[in-house]
Amino acid sequence: MELLDDSETEIFFRVLEKSISEQNDITLPQEVFTPLEMNIHRGPMAFKELIGYFKDPSIAKRQLIITRILPNGDSELAEDTGGVWRDLLTEFWCEFYDRCTMGRSAKVPCLRHDFGEMEWRSAGRILLHGYKFVKYWHVQLAHSFAMHCIDSKEDVLPSDLLQDFHNYVSIPDKEVFQKAVEDFDSVDMEDLLEALDMHNGKCSPTQENIKSILLEMAHKEIIQTPMFVCNCWKQVFNEMDITTSILDEIYSALNLSNKKVVGILSFPDDMDAHSTTVAMHLKRYVKSLDKQKLGLFMRYCTGSDLLTIDKITVEFTVFARPATTSSCSHMCMHATVVQNIRKLHGFPNRI
């Protein structure tokens, strides 16, 4: 790696935060803040352990003191100011999507024989607690489904329902459905019938009825099929003062984009030429990331793969040390001197 001079430069990414109790802006009675200590193993056990803890309804109102247990049985050294909980939430919801949902990029809960009412309510409390205390609401859940959980009396907009359905089905099915709506005569009828059959379509499609058929199928897949889960979560969400309009804001605010992440990078005011060059390449690097790697970058810096913080402070130092990260203090350090953007590529793969 080429150096600008004889010294090495490091980049520090830091999110300065208050403790969870200090940053929490929800007014609750004092007794609900009685801390609860949770020991959660890293790895596959974490999912069931967290579900088990949150079967207690009172936990949604309590501050958590989380200790992660390493594979060798030792406790992970970390001070949790929100990052440990965010990291655990990210891990939990990734596992939840693999085990308990269906859909491509819009996820909808699916029933499991080992998940009853208590387990589904527990998952709802995890979602609720994550939003209350660290503003974490996993936005891969289909928006229309989440809206129905909050207010089943409010009709979901057909456009929103259809968009969720397009993100729920496979890309080939999405493409054939969109083509059928836009130009029915040009669609491959065999592909269309096969796609409709995949989702138990019962009507013969025509140019006049194709959109209504898709809306009916979307309602079945997104709203009707997971209704048992929706009913379980309604009882949990009744404790949260949230409306469908607030939910719209949550989905808009938490969704990652390259522009948003670049916008929260905060650099020192008095950067020298070396640091200015590194800052320029760092911005270019973040802009070049695809959605998956952008999520990895954010999780590396903050513990969360969503936009749950307002600022990442970037610092530079000439002291050499290996690249490290801590989602507890939300600080990551990448020892590098960047004269070329290629030096940064591959960084998320090393997380």
Side-chain angles (χ1 to χ4, degrees):
M1 183 178 294
E2 297 178 348
L3 301 179
L4 295 176
D5 56 22
D6 293 334
S7 63
E8 290 192 355
T9 302
E10 288 185 318
I11 312 173
F12 290 76
F13 304 95
R14 180 166 58 185
V15 179
L16 300 176
E17 291 192 306
K18 301 176 181 179
S19 67
I20 294 179
S21 59
E22 291 175 321
Q23 64 179 280
N24 177 30
D25 59 0
I26 299 172
T27 303
L28 294 172
Q30 185 63 36
E31 63 270 18
V32 301
F33 288 108
T34 303
L36 173 66
E37 295 186 10
M38 293 171 50
N39 295 319
I40 304 291
H41 288 80
R42 284 205 172 272
M45 295 176 62
F47 181 81
K48 287 189 175 180
E49 289 174 341
L50 202 57
I51 287 288
Y53 274 112
F54 274 83
K55 287 181 179 179
D56 178 4
S58 68
I59 198 172
K61 301 177 181 179
R62 300 175 67 180
Q63 180 182 343
L64 304 179
I65 300 175
I66 301 170
T67 300
R68 301 305 304 270
I69 308 300
L70 300 173
N72 63 3
D74 293 340
S75 298
E76 186 176 77
L77 298 178
E79 180 183 354
D80 187 11
T81 59
V84 173
W85 185 213
R86 278 197 297 265
D87 183 65
L88 179 55
L89 285 168
T90 303
E91 181 181 335
F92 172 84
W93 286 108
C94 287
E95 190 73 16
F96 179 86
Y97 291 139
D98 288 341
R99 296 189 185 194
C100 304
T101 68
M102 296 183 67
R104 181 172 50 85
S105 59
K107 304 293 187 179
V108 176
C110 60
L111 299 183
R112 292 172 52 107
H113 69 87
D114 57 348
F115 250 59
E117 184 176 355
M118 289 184 64
E119 286 75 18
W120 286 116
R121 286 191 184 183
S122 179
R125 292 187 189 106
I126 293 170
L127 184 62
L128 170 64
H129 193 285
Y131 177 69
K132 272 188 174 182
F133 287 90
V134 291
K135 303 303 180 187
Y136 189 101
W137 181 292
H138 218 291
V139 293
Q140 272 191 279
L141 282 173
H143 190 185
S144 302
F145 169 77
M147 287 184 65
H148 196 71
C149 291
I150 291 171
D151 188 356
S152 58
K153 296 180 181 179
E154 183 170 333
D155 292 334
V156 178
L157 291 175
S159 57
D160 292 343
L161 189 60
L162 199 57
Q163 181 179 351
D164 276 341
F165 185 60
H166 285 161
N167 292 329
Y168 173 83
V169 302
S170 66
I171 290 179
D173 286 353
K174 171 186 174 181
E175 291 174 347
V176 74
F177 289 153
Q178 288 179 326
K179 190 171 185 179
V181 172
E182 294 167 1
D183 187 3
F184 187 83
D185 292 334
S186 66
V187 73
D188 187 309
M189 188 56 64
E190 184 177 346
D191 289 345
L192 177 59
L193 292 175
E194 181 179 347
L196 291 172
D197 188 57
M198 286 287 293
H199 301 280
N200 298 313
K202 303 298 183 183
C203 300
S204 298
T206 66
Q207 184 173 353
E208 289 73 26
N209 70 6
I210 183 61
K211 189 169 184 178
S212 62
I213 289 176
L214 293 178
L215 283 171
E216 290 166 357
M217 292 172 60
H219 194 272
K220 178 184 76 71
E221 297 283 17
I222 306 297
I223 305 297
Q224 296 177 36
T225 300
M227 186 57 68
F228 176 77
V229 181
C230 184
N231 290 334
C232 291
W233 284 11
K234 278 180 186 177
Q235 300 176 43
V236 175
F237 290 174
N238 283 339
E239 305 172 13
M240 181 169 57
D241 185 18
I242 185 171
T243 63
T244 53
S245 60
I246 293 177
L247 187 67
D248 290 338
E249 295 174 5
I250 291 173
Y251 273 75
S252 175
L254 293 184
N255 265 312
L256 284 180
S257 72
N258 303 77
K259 182 178 180 180
K260 286 181 180 179
V261 176
V262 170
I264 65 173
L265 295 176
S266 177
F267 297 93
D269 294 329
D270 55 346
M271 291 190 295
D272 57 20
H274 300 172
S275 300
T276 300
T277 300
V278 174
M280 177 188 68
H281 288 309
L282 178 61
K283 289 181 180 180
R284 289 180 58 196
Y285 165 72
V286 172
K287 289 179 180 179
S288 72
L289 296 176
D290 60 27
K291 190 169 185 178
Q292 180 184 10
K293 288 186 176 180
L294 192 64
L296 287 173
F297 178 82
M298 285 298 294
R299 187 175 182 186
Y300 184 77
C301 294
T302 71
S304 168
D305 57 351
L306 301 175
L307 200 66
T308 57
I309 48 85
D310 298 323
K311 181 190 292 187
I312 298 176
T313 300
V314 182
E315 299 176 357
F316 302 93
T317 178
V318 296
F319 297 104
R321 69 174 67 180
T324 61
T325 182
S326 171
S327 62
C328 305
S329 63
H330 318 294
M331 178 186 293
C332 63
M333 295 156 282
H334 183 46
T336 183
V337 176
V338 185
Q339 286 184 320
N340 191 302
I341 192 172
R342 290 193 301 271
K343 301 291 186 181
L344 283 170
H345 281 288
F347 168 56
N349 297 327
R350 299 196 295 272
I351 297 173

